[in-house]
Amino acid sequence: MGRRPILAAVGWLATTVAATLVGLGAIQLVGEGIAGTPGGVRAQHEIERALASPAPAPVVPTADPTGSPTPSAAPTPSRTPARAGARRGFATPGGTAVVECGPAGARLVSWSPAQGYGVKDVDRGPDEHVEVKFVGTEGEHELKVRCVGGKPVAAAHG
């Protein structure tokens, strides 16, 4: 065997090792951002707490005497519809939903199945009660919500 094939094999091997090391170094440098969940993975109780708490009000800029915008000390809730009532998030093993109470009754604002689940049936209202059924490999989970005293209350979890 001549020198030329051996040098080609050694060169190819050195190039492969160098490319692999550069790739691993880049992945290490980027870290979790390349394939991780932004903000990390959330536990079920953290999601429930986040859905149950109201969203922070936006800071609305106002003009000072010179005409330059400055942040307002008290945000204005002008983006909230006049008919909007109390809003609350609910979680089941099959998925999550947000329900709002208004003059016409309960209204399903949004819903999202958990991983491995799909939505079988939705009654979004507005009505006396709203419901969503999540179906997956682990079974069926039904969420019914009605308004009591103007606030959303779960009628049945399953």
Side-chain angles (χ1 to χ4, degrees):
M1 193 173 192
R3 294 185 88 171
R4 187 174 232 149
I6 292 173
L7 287 175
V10 168
W12 179 84
L13 186 61
T15 304
T16 304
V17 168
T20 302
L21 290 175
V22 168
L24 290 174
I27 290 172
Q28 184 69 26
L29 182 64
V30 172
E32 189 178 295
I34 196 167
T37 304
V41 176
R42 306 270 189 249
Q44 183 74 21
H45 71 278
E46 291 175 317
I47 294 169
E48 290 174 11
R49 185 175 51 228
L51 286 172
S53 65
V59 175
V60 178
T62 59
D64 68 9
T66 65
S68 336
T70 58
S72 170
T76 59
S78 60
R79 294 183 181 164
T80 305
R83 63 173 186 80
R87 192 178 271 200
R88 181 174 170 208
F90 297 89
T92 71
T96 59
V98 177
V99 178
E100 178 179 78
C101 289
R107 182 176 72 90
L108 195 56
V109 176
S110 65
W111 58 94
S112 178
Q115 187 170 0
Y117 285 84
V119 176
K120 180 179 179 182
D121 190 26
V122 176
D123 176 9
R124 63 185 307 172
D127 204 346
E128 184 178 313
H129 75 275
V130 293
E131 66 181 272
V132 59
K133 291 179 187 174
F134 302 106
V135 180
T137 56
E138 299 294 319
E140 185 174 298
H141 298 278
E142 181 180 45
L143 174 67
K144 286 186 181 181
V145 179
R146 60 190 177 100
C147 295
V148 176
K151 295 182 181 177
V153 176
H157 268 266

